[in-house]
Every structure is written in C-alpha cells, then in structure tokens.
Amino acid sequence: MKILVINPNSTLSMTTQIADSARRCAFPGTVIEAINPKGTPASIEGHADEAMSVPAMLDLIRAGEARGVDAYVIACFDDPGLAAAREIAAGPVIGICQAAVQVATTIATRFSIVTTLPRSVPIIEDLVEAYGAGHRCRAVRAVDMPVLALEQDPATAEARLIREIEAARDVDGAEAVVLGCAGMSDLCDRLQLQTGMPVINGVTAAVKLAEGLVGGGYATSKIGAYDYPRAKSACVLAQTA
C-alpha cells in the first residue's frame, strides 16, 4: 500500500516532521512518501494561503496517480483543496481535519480543538460544522503563535498547548482534544502524557483512515460530484466565449 502524504506548504522541515509521525503509526507493509510542493506559502494561515497552495498540490496528486499511489493525505488542518483532490484521485483522499474530527467523535462525546493563530478559529469552526460535528465541538482554542514558530520556539509552543488543553478539559468540559495543525504532530504523545487527556493528531488519524479504506477496498466514488474533471476542448471554449 502506497500513501502519499502532502504538506501543501513549502517548508521542508515541517514535511520531514509530518513524515516521521506518519511512518511511526503506519503498518509495516505501508509505504509512506511525504512531499511538499515548491513555490507555495511557507505556512498556510488563512484563505489566501490555502488558495495559493492548491494548484501545486493537485499537480502532485496527478503525478501520484501516474505512479500508482493508493491513497493521499492532505497534511494541513484547513483541508485545502480536499474536494478538488478527490476529483483527481481514484483512491481515497483524507484531510487531517476531517480525519481528526471523525476520531474525536468516535472516542469522546465532546471535544475541543487547539490551533495556532486566532485567525484560524473561524475557518476551523466552519470546517467542523461542515463535517457535521459542530454540536460536539466545545471550542476552538488558539495558542496565538504562527505555524513556523512551533519549531522555532518549541518550549513556548508546548507550554501554551498544555495550558489550552487543560483549559479545554476544565473550562470547556471536553473529553478529548484535537491538535489543529500538522506542525504539532510530533508533540502529541508528550501532550497526552503531561495532561492526561486523549490528544488526537490529525496526521496519524488520516494515515490510519487511509490504510483502513484502502485495505477495505474502498475508492473515491466517480458518480456525481467527485467524478474526474471534464475535459474542455478548444472549440467548446470558443463557442462559449
């Protein structure tokens, strides 16, 4: 089984960290390849960054299809371009936000999410609502640190994450916490140990879901909305111009 994990931003060190998290949880027979495009934003922190990252990400999926990749993980918590990616890929495409939310609603009745910047809060709230879990999500909290600061100042990031996870437990009444950034994936085990809370890493959740879907023989439906993009001929474009 080949799973391509795509970090849509262009920061290689984050891709390496994401790859380590993915490989640690994967079955022995699963081949994990992790990659990021070039020329996309160094981090994805808002709608504009998302939009700029999607075309290059879709190109990587097209190349993966030619190489026989079985499933894809989009390793950004905003799940950028997820529907478009599912149109292009034959196999499952998993966004780490959707996967983490599915795990959270399976292992807990209520959960909270801890992300990076306050500007990401409404984006994540809308995603959770779209995934049908708005009534289960107690809060989306932010540590108020840019994505790249997670690796530049890991001690501060960890201390703030612990504070917000404990507040999710004590103030929100959450029974589990989702880490709302792929760049937090290497902290998951320590945070769970230090807080005593179930802490969900979207990268791990997405990889395990991808393995399960491929192993069960499930592919992306090509009937309706996720059908392959229609070819546009020059003559049709000229007639509609």
Side-chain angles (χ1 to χ4, degrees), residues 4-26 32-36 42 44 73-77 96 147 150-151 181-187 201-204 206-207:
L4 181 61
V5 179
I6 302 174
N7 169 21
N9 73 43
S10 58
T11 300
L12 180 59
S13 58
M14 189 178 299
T15 306
T16 301
Q17 180 241 105
I18 289 167
D20 290 342
S21 297
R23 291 185 179 119
R24 281 198 302 271
C25 76
I32 298 287
E33 179 184 352
I35 193 169
N36 59 262
I44 297 177
V73 169
I74 298 177
C76 169
F77 205 78
I96 64 170
V147 170
L150 296 174
E151 62 179 52
C181 176
M184 298 174 178
S185 62
D186 61 335
L187 297 171
N201 164 16
V203 173
T204 298
V207 168

Side-chain angles (χ1 to χ4, degrees), residues 12 25 46 49 87 89 98 121 131-132 149 168 182 204 206 225 230:
L12 180 59
C25 76
D49 289 342
E87 290 185 17
Q98 187 174 23
V121 170
Y131 295 147
T204 298
R230 294 184 61 214

Side-chain angles (χ1 to χ4, degrees), residues 136-207:
R136 304 279 291 275
C137 183
R138 286 301 194 203
V140 180
R141 296 175 164 274
V143 296
D144 201 12
M145 293 181 70
V147 170
L148 298 180
L150 296 174
E151 62 179 52
Q152 294 166 356
D153 189 0
T156 298
E158 187 167 340
R160 292 188 184 186
L161 282 163
I162 290 171
R163 182 186 66 200
E164 295 301 329
I165 291 169
E166 290 176 341
R169 178 192 63 206
D170 300 336
V171 178
D172 304 342
E175 300 166 1
V177 168
V178 171
L179 298 180
C181 176
M184 298 174 178
S185 62
D186 61 335
L187 297 171
C188 185
D189 292 343
R190 288 207 306 276
L191 293 171
Q192 184 161 285
L193 182 64
Q194 292 181 63
T195 63
M197 283 283 282
V199 179
I200 300 163
N201 164 16
V203 173
T204 298
V207 168

Side-chain angles (χ1 to χ4, degrees), residues 50 74 76-84 86 93-106 111 113 123-137 178 202 206 209 226:
E50 286 183 41
I74 298 177
C76 169
F77 205 78
D78 290 355
D79 288 354
L82 182 58
R86 286 172 174 165
V93 183
I94 314 298
I96 64 170
C97 177
Q98 187 174 23
V101 167
Q102 288 175 332
V103 169
T105 56
T106 301
F111 67 95
I113 299 172
I123 295 173
I124 293 172
E125 287 175 339
D126 287 349
L127 274 177
V128 172
E129 189 69 31
Y131 295 147
H135 63 296
R136 304 279 291 275
C137 183
V178 171
L209 183 55
Y226 290 153

